[in-house]
């Protein structure tokens, strides 16, 4: 386990769990937390023994966004603070988005500002029913960060993203799920069980296959149809060269040939 005071990094076999750990301030992001998240994201990206990453928050909140109290304390140095803070935060988000492992966000409570960006970043975003989501930026005279102006239009469409961000609209977990902002909402007490079930399902594939698929999905809205299909062709061919994939294919064929229904249909 490699943890800091503000970001807990725990391992359970091939699963890495990252916990935003400033519960007394709603896991608000200060420089320490942003740096810790960046370091953890790089470690997850580089460690081949990690097969899946889970991101959650400590206490009642998932993440309330930037540490507004710190913004006030910065005074005239706020622009410099924001540039430094977003440098670490954006690197963390980019690494989590581009790593060759799936990311599950276990949204245990309210998410706002950059916390909203982190919440919806997951390939699978599971929200506790009690959670709610708020852009927050325009309420304090700021514009969005954390990739929210890239993520939200792709998840819910431009028109809905405009309304949510510009009017600082608050969404409950069920509404967020209905719009496609999160994968689904589950009862609070079932959130941990749902995460474990998803981790187990993802574990049935290979890290390489998941990683290639993540990359294809991320690029799909910016590629032409023909370019996307060429990327698909190259990815599937590259995967077929790996021993993991060949072993999986052989095991599937062997299992199918051994099944009674297959013997009956071919005999």
């Amino acid at each position: 386990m490699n943890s800091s005071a503000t970001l807990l990094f725990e391992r359970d076999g091939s699963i890495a769990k990252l916990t935003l750990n400033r519960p007394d301030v709603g896991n608000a992001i200060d420089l320490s937390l942003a740096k810790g998240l960046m370091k953890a994201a790089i470690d997850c990206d580089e460690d081949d023994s990690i097969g899946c990453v889970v991101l959650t928050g400590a206490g009642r909140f998932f993440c309330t966004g930037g540490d507004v109290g710190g913004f006030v304390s910065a005074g005239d140095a706020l622009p410099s603070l924001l540039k430094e803070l977003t440098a670490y935060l954006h690197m963390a988000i980019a690494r989590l988005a581009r790593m060759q492992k799936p990311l599950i966000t276990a949204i245990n409570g309210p998410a706002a500002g950059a916390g909203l960006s982190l919440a919806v970043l997951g390939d699978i975003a599971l929200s506790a029913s009690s959670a709610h989501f708020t852009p927050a930026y325009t309420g304090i005279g700021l514009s969005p960060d954390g990739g929210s102006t890239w993520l939200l239009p792709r998840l819910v469409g431009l028109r809905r993203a405009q309304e949510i961000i510009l009017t600082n609209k608050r969404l409950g977990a069920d509404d967020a799920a209905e719009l496609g902002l999160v994968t689904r909402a589950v009862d609070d007490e079932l959130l941990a069980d749902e995460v474990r079930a998803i981790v187990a399902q993802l574990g049935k594939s290979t890290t390489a296959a998941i990683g290639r698929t993540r990359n294809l999905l991320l690029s799909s809205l910016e590629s032409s149809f023909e370019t996307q299909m060429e990327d698909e062709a190259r990815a599937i061919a590259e995967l077929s060269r790996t021993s993991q994939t060949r072993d999986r294919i052989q095991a599937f064929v062997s299992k199918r040939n051994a099944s009674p229904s297959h013997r009956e249909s071919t005999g």
Side-chain angles (χ1 to χ4, degrees):
M1 182 173 70
N2 178 19
S3 302
S4 67
T6 57
L7 191 285
L8 302 181
F9 188 140
E10 302 168 283
R11 287 289 300 271
D12 181 7
S14 64
I15 311 306
K17 181 181 180 183
L18 310 182
T19 304
L20 309 175
N21 190 40
R22 301 186 73 214
D24 292 344
V25 289
N27 299 318
I29 303 170
D30 63 357
L31 278 177
S32 175
L33 179 51
K35 289 178 182 178
L37 187 60
M38 180 198 70
K39 179 62 167 61
I42 292 173
D43 289 345
C44 290
D45 193 11
E46 288 296 313
D47 190 340
D48 291 338
S49 70
I50 292 175
C52 183
V53 180
V54 177
L55 176 64
T56 192
R60 294 193 307 112
F61 293 87
F62 176 76
C63 178
T64 55
D67 187 346
V68 180
F71 294 175
V72 173
S73 299
D76 291 341
L78 180 57
S80 295
L81 171 62
L82 288 172
K83 286 182 177 179
E84 186 177 6
L85 184 65
T86 53
Y88 292 116
L89 176 63
H90 289 180
M91 183 178 290
I93 290 172
R95 294 297 177 274
L96 291 172
R98 298 293 184 183
M99 65 183 177
Q100 297 296 297
K101 298 101 190 238
L103 173 68
I104 300 172
T105 47
I107 309 158
N108 56 295
L116 171 60
S117 299
L118 288 171
V120 305
L121 184 65
D123 300 292
I124 308 293
L126 298 176
S127 174
S129 294
S130 64
H132 53 78
F133 303 84
T134 313
Y137 297 99
T138 58
I140 56 172
L142 292 174
S143 57
D145 63 355
S148 59
T149 56
W150 190 93
L151 289 163
L152 264 66
R154 285 162 171 77
L155 293 170
V156 304
L158 176 61
R159 186 59 70 205
R160 283 175 173 151
Q162 287 170 319
E163 179 187 17
I164 291 169
I165 295 175
L166 293 175
T167 68
N168 198 25
K169 186 173 183 177
R170 172 172 157 168
L171 296 171
D174 289 335
D175 290 335
E178 184 177 352
L179 288 174
L181 196 63
V182 298
T183 306
R184 62 178 171 273
V186 300
D187 291 342
D188 288 35
E189 62 272 17
L190 298 179
L191 182 62
D193 290 338
E194 283 289 317
V195 170
R196 283 191 287 270
I198 292 294
V199 168
Q201 185 65 33
L202 290 169
K204 295 178 181 179
S205 187
T206 66
T207 300
I210 292 288
R212 295 292 194 283
T213 304
R214 290 187 94 220
N215 291 340
L216 287 167
L217 288 169
L218 279 175
S219 66
S220 63
L221 294 179
E222 297 165 350
S223 298
S224 68
F225 186 36
E226 290 75 12
T227 297
Q228 188 72 7
M229 287 193 293
E230 176 62 18
D231 290 343
E232 288 177 345
R234 290 183 177 277
I236 199 170
E238 288 172 7
L239 287 168
S240 72
R241 295 189 181 99
T242 67
S243 59
Q244 275 188 317
T245 294
R246 293 189 180 189
D247 289 345
R248 292 292 183 102
I249 293 172
Q250 184 58 54
F252 176 83
V253 172
S254 298
K255 182 178 179 181
R256 184 188 63 182
N257 289 343
S259 67
S261 60
H262 180 76
R263 289 199 300 270
E264 291 170 5
S265 64
T266 59

